[in-house]
Amino acid sequence: MTALALHLWQSTVILIAAWLLTRVCRRNSAEIRYWIWFCASLKFLVPFSLLQQLGDYVGRSLPAPIQVAPSLLETGSAIFVPSIDGSGFDGSVLPKLTMVAVTIWALGSAALLLRWLSQWLAMRSMLSSAPYLPMGLDIPVRVTSAGLTPGVFGVFRPVLILPRAVMRELSASQIETVLAHEMCHIRRRDNLTAAIHKLIEVIFWFHPLVWWIGANLLREREAACDESVVEAGHEQVVYAESLLHVCRLGVTARFAGVAASSGGDLKQRMTSILSPERASPLDQLRFMLLLTVAMALCYGPVLAGVVTGAAREASDGGRIYFETITLTPSQPLWWQGSKFDPAGQLSLDNVSLRDLIALAYPASYVNGDPELIDRIHYDVHARWRPDSLASERGVYRELLKNILRTNSSLQLYVKQGCDIDCAWIPGELVAGRSYR
């Protein structure tokens, strides 16, 4: 629950920042604002904690630990991992509340998913009997008598929907502008991005701002297509009249997986289409602002993780005195597991000696018998006194020395600059026992 609260808090902050950026770019192309909103939507699928873990792994894998100022570490933690005090919760009540919340969330997500799936199946069933119309376009065109507006259905193999009423009532020039609008949706892959946001709405349906993002995506998506049609040289009055006729002939119901020309705020779209003013190009100042924000969002959590991992590696308190070390053979599998607890516990699953050396001496070169250091895999569990403060790399090195000294006849020779070159003398490893 704490991790979810942090993720929602971070996503909400990014959403507010996205809204501010769209205000800054309100005179620029609608496509720019659309992608700003879509990035804010994607943030709900990408927790900063995953990027931090990647950075933490990089920071711990540096050939040599780097010293990090405590103030920098505290600043990064305050921005990306603010503390949440859970002391006010009753420990006996919280699990019950969590179960109730998970049940409500699952029911809401299932209801939304079933609703959109039923709409998609209904549309697919309707189009299965609709005849094809050869129009020389890059995608198939189906003609239907249903009360629909022109639109594009499908994500990976889109189909253009063209109602008979539209073909009968609109002139050739008006139909041309409508087709130009729908082809713009296809070029932009709008159905794919809309499907991704639908998935986000299914998962985070309880967050009201997620639905606000969807409304903004729809508005900016249609505005971007309107700008593309006008910039392509189509008559503005003809295009506006075609949209009015389409809205008059069609219905307001929306179907899952359909990007239609009648979407968005019609009054606002008419004003924008008929206006003599066009969108301003993105100037250098706004471009640098968007680039800086994008770089900060992508690399900020990673750098915070690198700082944290490097700080953990730099806090070496000397030799570690283990209470127990358990070394047991394991079957070589495709996955490996590790769990490090600074309080005094370490678990490694399915690791070879080479893996353990790499953890202790990153970027090292190992000269030894491959049959001995690669073929046999182990599960390692170790406990040490919590008062022995040491970095994770220091724990791995002391663990490696203890294993070699106690459980084998192997000897380890580490040259000066041990993170560059390590040498082994082969011997016999005896595993499968615990010792103190």
Side-chain angles (χ1 to χ4, degrees):
M1 294 298 292
T2 301
L4 176 61
L6 290 176
H7 174 59
L8 294 177
W9 175 83
Q10 294 165 351
S11 300
T12 303
V13 171
I14 298 303
L15 176 56
I16 296 174
W19 175 77
L20 293 175
L21 289 176
T22 58
R23 299 302 300 167
V24 172
C25 301
R26 63 184 178 275
R27 298 187 182 278
N28 299 112
S29 172
E31 185 172 6
I32 296 175
R33 298 190 296 273
Y34 176 83
W35 287 110
I36 292 175
W37 285 117
F38 186 67
C39 290
S41 174
L42 284 181
K43 171 60 189 71
F44 282 87
L45 293 180
V46 185
F48 277 156
S49 58
L50 295 180
L51 300 179
Q52 283 181 279
Q53 291 178 9
L54 174 62
D56 183 81
Y57 174 79
V58 173
R60 291 184 289 108
S61 301
L62 295 175
I66 58 175
Q67 297 292 333
V68 181
S71 58
L72 181 61
L73 183 61
E74 294 174 359
T75 302
S77 299
I79 294 176
F80 295 104
V81 191
S83 60
I84 295 181
D85 186 11
S87 58
F89 293 100
D90 187 350
S92 61
V93 177
L94 187 58
K96 298 179 182 178
L97 294 178
T98 302
M99 181 61 66
V100 172
V102 170
T103 302
I104 295 175
W105 168 83
L107 292 175
S109 297
L112 288 175
L113 193 60
L114 289 175
R115 175 191 172 191
W116 287 322
L117 181 61
S118 63
Q119 291 180 352
W120 184 83
L121 291 175
M123 177 61 69
R124 184 178 181 182
S125 176
M126 184 185 305
L127 293 179
S128 62
S129 58
Y132 285 101
L133 179 65
M135 298 193 66
L137 299 178
D138 296 335
I139 66 169
V141 180
R142 285 182 177 267
V143 182
T144 177
S145 300
L148 299 174
T149 59
V152 178
F153 176 75
V155 175
F156 301 107
R157 289 184 291 181
V159 176
L160 178 59
I161 306 170
L162 197 58
R164 295 185 186 276
V166 171
M167 297 180 60
R168 185 171 54 250
E169 298 289 338
L170 270 64
S171 64
S173 58
Q174 290 174 342
I175 293 178
E176 183 181 355
T177 59
V178 171
L179 293 179
H181 180 99
E182 301 306 331
M183 294 304 295
C184 180
H185 280 305
I186 296 173
R187 288 193 303 270
R188 288 166 41 89
R189 304 282 183 179
D190 283 334
N191 279 3
L192 176 60
T193 55
I196 293 174
H197 183 72
K198 287 293 184 184
L199 174 63
I200 295 173
E201 288 180 343
V202 168
I203 299 174
F204 298 97
W205 60 265
F206 54 87
H207 199 306
L209 296 184
V210 169
W211 301 92
W212 182 52
I213 294 177
N216 284 284
L217 285 173
L218 176 62
R219 183 186 68 250
E220 302 299 350
R221 179 184 74 189
E222 298 304 324
C225 290
D226 292 341
E227 292 176 357
S228 177
V229 172
V230 174
E231 290 173 0
H234 294 279
E235 184 66 31
Q236 294 171 247
V237 176
V238 174
Y239 181 44
E241 290 176 348
S242 67
L243 292 181
L244 289 175
H245 283 303
V246 165
C247 293
R248 178 175 58 85
L249 296 172
V251 294
T252 57
R254 295 190 180 94
F255 290 86
V258 178
S261 57
S262 59
D265 188 337
L266 184 60
K267 180 179 179 180
Q268 183 178 359
R269 290 178 64 187
M270 292 295 104
T271 303
S272 177
I273 291 172
L274 297 175
S275 174
E277 298 181 0
R278 301 268 70 88
S280 303
L282 191 65
D283 55 30
Q284 186 175 5
L285 180 60
R286 288 179 173 82
F287 174 78
M288 291 303 300
L289 175 62
L290 294 177
L291 181 62
T292 302
V293 173
M295 296 288 287
L297 292 179
C298 293
Y299 297 107
V302 177
L303 292 178
V306 171
V307 168
T308 303
R312 287 166 56 186
E313 290 303 314
S315 59
D316 195 349
R319 184 174 179 179
I320 302 170
Y321 296 94
F322 291 94
E323 295 179 347
T324 60
I325 297 178
T326 303
L327 180 69
T328 56
S330 66
Q331 294 295 328
L333 302 173
W334 63 270
W335 59 270
Q336 293 181 342
S338 64
K339 183 177 181 181
F340 175 79
D341 185 356
Q345 296 188 39
L346 172 67
S347 296
L348 299 174
D349 300 325
N350 190 34
V351 295
S352 64
L353 277 180
R354 187 184 295 274
D355 297 328
L356 192 54
I357 298 167
L359 292 171
Y361 301 94
S364 60
Y365 172 78
V366 181
N367 180 20
D369 183 5
E371 189 72 12
L372 180 64
I373 63 177
D374 292 323
R375 183 175 60 87
I376 307 176
H377 289 237
Y378 308 93
D379 293 334
V380 183
H381 302 278
R383 294 176 59 90
W384 63 92
R385 292 186 301 209
D387 57 347
S388 301
L389 299 178
S391 66
E392 188 169 343
R393 185 177 302 174
V395 172
Y396 289 132
R397 291 186 177 181
E398 291 296 328
L399 176 64
L400 179 61
K401 293 176 183 177
N402 276 272
I403 291 176
L404 296 178
R405 181 173 61 251
T406 310
N407 281 24
S408 73
S409 58
L410 288 173
Q411 294 182 7
L412 171 66
Y413 290 88
V414 181
K415 294 183 179 179
Q416 187 176 4
C418 56
D419 287 319
I420 299 176
D421 191 12
C422 297
W424 286 83
I425 297 179
E428 180 182 3
L429 182 67
V430 180
R433 65 188 184 192
S434 302
Y435 60 93
R436 296 179 182 271

